[in-house]
Structures are given as structure tokens and as C-alpha cells.
Amino acid sequence: MGESTVRTRVLIVGAGPVGMAAAIELGHRGIPCLLIERNDRVGYAPRAKTTNVRTREHFRRWGIADKLRAASPLGLDYPSNVVFCTRLSGHELTRIENALYCAPGRNPLYSEHSQWVPQYTVEEVMREHAQSLPGVVLRFRTELKSFSQDADGVQALAVDLESQQELRIEADYLIGADGARSLVRETIGAKLEGTYGLSRHYNVVFRAPGLAQAHKLGPAIMYWQVNGDAPSLIGPMDSGDKWFFMPTSVKEGYKLDPADVPALIRQATGIDLPYEVLSNDEWVASRFLSDSYRDQRVFLAGDACHLHPPFGGYGMNMGVADGADLGWKLAAVLQGWGGAQLLDSYEQERRPVHSMVLDEAVANHSILSHQLWEEGLDADGAEGAARRAAVGGRIQAAKMREFNTLGVMLGYRYEHSPVIVHDGTPAPGQDFVNYVPSSRPGHLAPHAWMHDGSSLYDHFGQGFTLLASKDAPSEAIDQAQRQAKATGMPLKVIQPNEAGIAELYPTRFTLIRPDQHVAWRANAWPHATHGLIEQVSGRANALVPAGVAR
């Protein structure tokens, strides 16, 4: 058996996209971290298939957006259409083109398009990158058993599941990215609050050579089959003729035997082919939010603190944003320039975003295939065509909220944060479809393409960025740099020449955080020594967080 001891700065439990995001963010900032995962690899379950615009912008920061792009199993030019039909062999009701913004090409609103790619492929790209970073250590087949914390740090006990050797881990902080059944959440006494069992579903992955050519609806990432006997979602998932199938009207107590799945797919699609079932997993849609995200040195991220129905593709993407947020804030504290309020801001900023996105996901979940069905929808002739046209119109009105959601992906902002200095301008209304860029503090910094073909985001620094107008006084810029240097806060100054950027950033000075959110803006740099920098770095109250002196 035996026992060994490991010392690290941050222990991360769970090597899914959330834990990987935190490890990558820490690794890029030179913070040693240990990531443990009880499975022997990432990417067993099919799960998410949409890596959205914002997540891919994080990938761009980390230098792996092109690598993920190259891993697209269906090809980048494969259309991200969502087709609503009575069944694959039946009638089309309507379609939503370029759903979720997967179309390649430049858009002024963002630096990276979304991508339809299996989560296990995303995880593999993240894993390879994380393992390439100095100071990042991954240990698979290693399970957390318990932990405690005191004024000096976190003490955890894990076990190597292959050798059964115990591993004692000493860390300054711990991130629980260990999913819905989080041991970390249970240990700190946090509880999920919300509603269990909104609906029951099965997620089937199967192989079906020739299925893509056996229907006349054209290529799409998802086909919503609206019929009275087997309402469901179906679509291509990976190369090698691998598809997913999800019945949407599963009654309580019903068990889908894998042996019965091929017949159900034939019934749903109306296409008789050999169907090889690769996996068949039951899952329950719920809405949960943890009552707390933190206990002193221990933080929760991803499914460990929020759960919702997967309609809209928010789950993995929101978790990656959690990991990125925690990563840069913990790095700032451990490097000595971030203060206690920076760590406090994690829950204060992320919880309202989680709540808003959970509401969106539940709203999307409220209209599924079986709820769109009505008698006569699959009838031939004028009456059937009229019914299909009417239902198609209702679908367009109802499902825009699920598939055209740039306002959710990029329009969220941090309104009540101790490390953002608001300028008194009113908050805009929340619009799930229309994203209107704004340099108002708390918002995502507006994107722009530079004249040399690069993204404005490519010019931001790894720490804070001061975006100054062309007419900003050089003395004020010098003062900002001196103040940042005196506090140890990394600051890069940029003064873009592109005229369009002045329209997006109307003040002379805009201070942008490492996560590309605006922390402050004004037409003059404040004269008070260090006041602004101390607030945005979480040191306004002069408290030094635990772990800095180590």
C-alpha cells in the first residue's frame, strides 16, 4: 500500500472541461497545480456537442483554438442547421440555419465561431495542452477520499486506484470540479437547491452507415423528429457514421433496453437500417444551484454548483468560464497582487450569471418534440401542408431562444462585483438574441478586427489591459503604469489606431481584466494613489488572502 505526500499550490478535483480550464489558466500564469481524476481518461460520455463562441475565445487566449478547429469530425464547412421534421424519412416543418453560430468566417462581434464537436474531443485537446504546461500535473485513476483545511492550507487524502497507494496532498487552495455528485460540495456542507426531475431522457450513441444518405432533409447537426409515436432528437455526432438519438417523452418507470433501441430508432426515423448501439444512458433534467460556492480555501465550479437541462448548449461552456474565472483570480492572489475581495468576487459575479442561464435552459426545455406534435401533421395533401406551415411558424418563434442566443453567450455581465467600478450608467435589458457590445464596466470588452487581420483580443495582455484612446494624455498613461508597477499588478497599455474601436470604447481609458471583462472606464485616470488598482485587484480593504506568503 504505502503513502506519499505531494505539495502544490492548487488542487483541482475532476479533469473534465471545468477542471481542465482551471488548470490551463493557472498553468499559463505559472502557478503549480495538481489535477486528479478517478477515471483513467477524459471523455467517456458523449455529453455536450457545442463548444460555443465564448469558450472558443478562451481557447484562442490559450493558443488552442486552431487545434480544436482542426479536430472537427464533420468538417468546419458542415452546416450547423437544425431541422424540425416529422421524422427523417418524413416531412420538413422548418429549419434554423447557422444555429449556435458555428459558421466559419469573421464576425465583427466575436473572435471565434462556435463549433459542433463532441465533448470528448474537446477534453482531449484540453488535456494535451494542460500536460504541456510547466507546473501542471495530471493524475488519472486517482480518487479524492477526504480533505480538511486550516489557516495554513488544505490537506487532502487521495488514493491511486491502480496501486491502492494513498496520496497526501498539501495545497493552498482546492477547486471542486467533480460534477453533480460532488464530494467536495458535500464536504464543505454546500447544498443544491432547486427542482429535480423536470423530465427523463435517454442519450443513445449508435453507428449507422448510410443513414446520412438515406433521407432527403440535407445535412444538419440536429433533427427534431416531431411525431406521435417516437418524438426525439437525432443527429450526427462524430466521424465513422456515429450518431446520437434522444427520445424526449420518457415516462416515469420506463426502462429502455439496449436491445430495443434499434427498433425505436427505426420507428422514429422511418428508415430501416442496421443500427449498432454503442451506449445507452438514462439522465434526468433538473434545475439546481448550490447555496454556496465556497468555504474559505475551497471553491466549487461547473456541475458541482449548478445543474440545468442541456437545451441551449450552456452547461460545459458555463463550466469552462467558471474554471477560467477561478484560475486567473487564484493566480493573482498566489502571485501577491490580488486581494481577498478578488476571491470573494467569484461567487458574487458567477452566481447571477448561472441563475440567468439556468432560467434560459429551463425555458428551452419547456418545448420539446413531443410538445410540438399535433394530429395530422404528417398527412399528405393541402391540409397536412397547412398544419406543417402553422407548426413551423410556432417553432421559429419558440426555438429562436434556444439556437440564436448570442445575447446569452456574450451579453452576460457582472453588475454587483466588489472588483468592478461602475460608472453610473444604467444596465441594459437582458436580450437573449441580440448582443449589443458595450464597454460599460462589468460587460465583456467589445470585440473588433484590426487592420492587420488580428483580433483586438489578441493584443490584450495576460494581466490587465489599459485600452487608451489616441488622444489620451501620455502623463496619465505613465501614471497608470507606475501605479500598477508599484502594486505588482501586470498591466499592458494599448492604443489602437482603428477608427471603429473609438466607437466601441467611447471613453479615453478602459481598464480590461484578464478574463476580457471591463473593470473600469473614464475620460481621466484617477489622481488618488493606487485607489483604482487596489479595487479592481481586490485589495481595496488591504486584506492579504491566505496563501500569499507561501
Side-chain angles (χ1 to χ4, degrees):
M1 296 271 293
E3 179 182 292
S4 60
T5 300
V6 173
R7 168 72 195 159
T8 189
R9 303 308 301 270
V10 182
L11 171 61
I12 304 168
V13 183
V18 183
M20 288 288 186
I24 291 170
E25 197 71 48
L26 289 164
H28 272 267
R29 300 172 190 282
I31 302 299
C33 60
L34 172 61
L35 181 60
I36 63 173
E37 167 62 51
R38 63 186 179 87
N39 293 310
D40 60 1
R41 51 161 284 185
V42 294
Y44 274 114
R47 297 182 181 174
K49 293 169 281 292
T50 305
T51 303
N52 75 15
V53 165
R54 187 65 190 129
T55 297
R56 283 187 43 82
E57 289 185 330
H58 286 304
F59 277 41
R60 187 183 184 106
R61 281 197 303 114
W62 298 331
I64 56 175
D66 287 343
K67 189 167 187 178
L68 183 64
R69 185 179 289 110
S72 183
L74 302 179
L76 279 182
D77 293 327
Y78 186 89
S80 64
N81 298 333
V82 175
V83 174
F84 292 80
C85 54
T86 56
R87 58 190 81 238
L88 272 183
S89 63
H91 300 280
E92 179 174 333
L93 303 174
T94 190
R95 64 177 56 215
I96 297 173
E97 297 186 341
N98 190 26
L100 306 166
Y101 307 92
C102 294
R106 294 197 167 185
N107 188 305
L109 297 176
Y110 47 77
S111 62
E112 291 288 338
H113 59 84
S114 299
Q115 187 173 346
W116 183 257
V117 56
Q119 180 175 319
Y120 51 73
T121 302
V122 177
E123 291 179 352
E124 186 61 25
V125 170
M126 297 180 80
R127 181 195 63 77
E128 289 181 4
H129 186 60
Q131 289 183 318
S132 75
L133 298 172
V136 176
V137 178
L138 276 66
R139 291 190 59 138
F140 291 93
R141 295 290 289 160
T142 302
E143 184 173 18
L144 178 71
K145 290 298 184 181
S146 63
F147 67 87
S148 61
Q149 59 178 317
D150 55 30
D152 296 322
V154 177
Q155 303 81 42
L157 177 65
V159 62
D160 184 312
L161 297 177
E162 295 295 333
S163 67
Q164 295 304 307
Q165 182 182 36
E166 289 188 340
L167 179 67
R168 295 198 177 275
I169 306 166
E170 298 175 357
D172 292 303
Y173 294 98
L174 185 154
I175 297 174
D178 51 341
R181 296 178 177 85
S182 171
L183 174 62
V184 176
R185 184 184 66 239
E186 178 183 339
T187 303
I188 67 173
K191 299 189 183 306
L192 292 178
E193 297 178 337
T195 304
Y196 174 81
L198 297 173
S199 61
R200 295 176 62 248
H201 304 266
Y202 277 87
N203 192 31
V204 176
V205 177
F206 66 97
R207 184 174 286 112
L211 182 57
Q213 295 77 35
H215 64 85
K216 299 179 180 179
L217 297 174
I221 57 173
M222 201 182 303
Y223 302 87
W224 285 56
Q225 300 186 115
V226 181
N227 54 61
D229 49 358
S232 52
L233 278 66
I234 193 169
M237 194 179 105
D238 204 345
S239 57
D241 298 301
K242 190 180 290 186
W243 289 61
F244 72 91
F245 173 67
M246 191 186 84
T248 61
S249 181
V250 179
K251 294 181 172 56
E252 187 69 33
Y254 173 78
K255 295 296 181 184
L256 181 57
D257 190 309
D260 297 331
V261 170
L264 184 60
I265 296 174
R266 290 187 188 96
Q267 182 182 13
T269 61
I271 297 172
D272 187 7
L273 286 174
Y275 296 111
E276 178 190 357
V277 177
L278 304 177
S279 65
N280 178 38
D281 302 307
E282 183 181 6
W283 59 275
V284 177
S286 302
R287 185 201 191 279
F288 282 121
L289 201 59
S290 181
D291 63 354
S292 174
Y293 291 10
R294 178 190 181 189
D295 177 29
Q296 301 174 76
R297 295 172 174 272
V298 181
F299 297 82
L300 302 176
D303 286 355
C305 58
H306 50 79
L307 290 165
H308 59 78
F311 299 96
Y314 300 124
M316 181 198 77
N317 296 290
M318 193 158 61
V320 168
D322 292 348
D325 190 81
L326 259 181
W328 82 262
K329 289 174 178 176
L330 284 170
V333 166
L334 291 169
Q335 289 167 345
W337 60 268
Q341 288 184 332
L342 200 58
L343 300 185
D344 294 340
S345 73
Y346 168 66
E347 181 171 349
Q348 291 168 304
E349 292 180 354
R350 296 300 296 163
R351 175 186 285 276
V353 174
H354 296 158
S355 182
M356 179 268 290
V357 172
L358 263 62
D359 289 343
E360 287 296 320
V362 170
N364 294 336
H365 165 270
S366 68
I367 304 175
L368 300 180
S369 293
H370 59 283
Q371 291 149 324
L372 296 168
W373 164 255
E374 61 179 55
E375 290 295 334
L377 200 59
D378 54 357
D380 294 325
E383 184 178 347
R387 285 184 181 275
R388 289 190 289 276
V391 169
R394 292 203 301 272
I395 291 171
Q396 285 288 341
K399 296 313 257 183
M400 177 185 290
R401 186 170 193 160
E402 182 168 347
F403 297 111
N404 294 326
T405 56
L406 206 60
V408 179
M409 292 183 202
L410 303 180
Y412 68 91
R413 66 266 185 175
Y414 302 136
E415 291 292 348
H416 305 290
S417 171
V419 294
I420 287 176
V421 184
H422 289 283
D423 61 359
T425 54
Q430 188 68 49
D431 189 327
F432 59 86
V433 173
N434 299 299
Y435 167 59
V436 180
S438 172
S439 64
R440 180 177 174 270
H443 290 242
L444 183 66
H447 176 261
W449 291 106
M450 310 296 279
H451 290 176
D452 64 2
S454 63
S455 164
L456 174 63
Y457 290 171
D458 298 339
H459 298 266
F460 290 176
Q462 191 177 68
F464 276 75
T465 299
L466 181 62
L467 192 155
S469 65
K470 289 185 289 186
D471 65 345
S474 59
E475 313 85 65
I477 293 174
D478 291 342
Q479 182 184 19
Q481 291 175 316
R482 287 195 303 271
Q483 291 178 3
K485 185 176 181 180
T487 61
M489 188 186 86
L491 179 69
K492 180 180 180 180
V493 177
I494 61 173
Q495 287 183 279
N497 291 317
E498 285 77 359
I501 293 178
E503 300 296 320
L504 297 170
Y505 296 87
T507 56
R508 279 182 170 174
F509 298 100
T510 305
L511 189 61
I512 300 163
R513 309 192 318 183
D515 61 356
Q516 300 172 342
H517 280 260
V518 176
W520 166 89
R521 68 176 180 178
N523 283 315
W525 187 262
H527 293 294
T529 305
H530 308 327
L532 171 61
I533 288 178
E534 287 187 344
Q535 181 167 352
V536 299
S537 63
R539 300 176 67 91
N541 57 5
L543 292 177
V544 178
V548 172
R550 288 182 167 269

